[in-house]
Amino acid sequence: MKSSALIKERDHYEISQSINDNFESVQAEIRLLIKTCAQEIVPVWPLETFIACNPLQGFEARSFEEALTQGNLNRERQKRNVPLEEVNLQMIKWCGGFLDAGQGAIEMPHRDKGFYQGFLALAYYDKQLHRNKKELKHWIKNLPKTAEEAVHFCLEQLGVDVNRRVQFIKQTLQYLPGWAGYVKWRSEWKNIINPGEKPVTLTDFVAIRLVITCLMWPDAAQEKKKKKVVVSI
């Protein structure tokens, strides 16, 4: 009996260890994915710093002509897309609330927890996100507890194939390049100087963006895939 109990305990430990290893693997994979996709995002300093930004940062390894072409492609105006506009509006609202520098009349609660954790604590109460639909409120309430898990979960929910995830995340970051660039500056410069001051990362940014996309534009991945289809006549 004692031997059997030890075997069960060992098996339980091995299963737990496997789960932990898988969790850490997913986190590392998502962080690398975001880092890769953010290479072409130009960091945006706050206005009070008066630091000029190079609009072609991230393209240094390419020729000047290639950099100009790629830079222009990344900034092309798209045809009006109502679901995309809704996602953008909600994302701007949450970015503005979390990154507010004192202009807002009311400070966003839970900012000290970080961007994703603060969002996670409040999203359930945002009627603009769930539109009072019980199933959406339940979905929000059961979101993953970390930003990395949320990115992985939402990519699965949206049906983004593994081989399309880099391009999908790159495009996701380009929808609001100003906010993405500011978060990049905060995460790579400001967070290092003041690590305890309203921590925010690009992984947080992407996680929240994908959560909102799942809620308001669930066909985003399919629509992007359709746009890439070229019909030859």
Side-chain angles (χ1 to χ4, degrees):
M1 291 293 291
K2 190 173 182 180
S3 176
S4 177
L6 287 173
I7 291 172
K8 286 183 179 179
E9 184 177 340
R10 182 201 64 193
D11 291 344
H12 176 73
Y13 171 79
E14 289 177 351
I15 292 171
S16 299
Q17 189 64 37
S18 176
I19 292 172
N20 288 336
D21 290 345
N22 184 59
F23 173 74
E24 291 175 3
S25 175
V26 168
Q27 285 197 313
E29 177 188 329
I30 294 301
R31 290 194 197 106
L32 180 59
L33 173 64
I34 303 301
K35 184 177 181 180
T36 300
C37 295
Q39 288 177 354
E40 296 174 1
I41 291 293
V42 180
V44 176
W45 276 254
L47 293 176
E48 65 266 21
T49 61
F50 292 103
I51 295 178
C53 294
N54 176 7
L56 296 179
Q57 182 170 341
F59 303 101
E60 291 89 346
R62 306 175 191 183
S63 69
F64 183 67
E65 291 76 14
E66 288 176 327
L68 282 177
T69 301
Q70 186 65 46
N72 288 332
L73 282 174
N74 285 343
R75 292 163 178 79
E76 283 181 352
R77 293 183 64 84
Q78 303 291 325
K79 291 182 180 179
R80 189 174 183 196
N81 182 323
V82 175
L84 171 59
E85 290 176 6
E86 289 295 325
V87 174
N88 283 343
L89 284 172
Q90 293 304 313
M91 193 64 195
I92 290 168
K93 177 184 74 178
W94 282 95
C95 286
F98 183 82
L99 297 168
D100 172 57
Q103 295 93 340
I106 301 175
E107 183 174 325
M108 174 180 165
H110 305 295
R111 293 167 84 191
D112 58 309
K113 297 178 180 178
F115 195 16
Y116 179 72
Q117 294 301 324
F119 170 82
L120 203 60
L122 297 172
Y124 181 81
Y125 305 100
D126 188 345
K127 292 181 180 179
Q128 292 179 333
L129 290 182
H130 55 65
R131 305 180 292 285
N132 277 330
K133 293 182 178 180
K134 187 180 292 186
E135 66 275 14
L136 295 184
K137 292 174 75 173
H138 177 76
W139 188 85
I140 291 172
K141 197 171 185 178
N142 290 279
L143 282 168
K145 302 303 180 186
T146 70
E148 291 84 0
E149 287 179 290
V151 171
H152 184 267
F153 171 72
C154 289
L155 288 172
E156 294 284 337
Q157 288 277 300
L158 291 166
V160 183
D161 299 332
V162 174
N163 60 348
R164 293 180 54 237
R165 290 184 176 180
V166 169
Q167 187 56 42
F168 186 86
I169 296 295
K170 281 185 177 182
Q171 184 61 68
T172 295
L173 289 167
Q174 287 292 343
Y175 284 136
L176 292 175
W179 281 111
Y182 183 61
V183 170
K184 184 174 184 178
W185 172 78
R186 285 286 301 265
S187 62
E188 295 185 1
W189 281 272
K190 185 71 177 290
N191 281 2
I192 296 172
I193 299 170
N194 299 302
E197 184 182 338
K198 298 185 287 294
V200 59
T201 68
L202 277 170
T203 304
D204 292 333
F205 181 88
V206 172
I208 294 170
R209 173 86 198 196
L210 292 181
V211 167
I212 295 173
T213 300
C214 284
L215 291 166
M216 311 196 81
W217 189 20
D219 297 327
Q222 283 67 37
E223 289 191 27
K224 289 179 186 178
K225 190 185 292 185
K226 288 176 185 176
K227 288 178 183 177
K228 290 187 176 182
V229 176
V230 177
V231 179
S232 300
I233 300 177

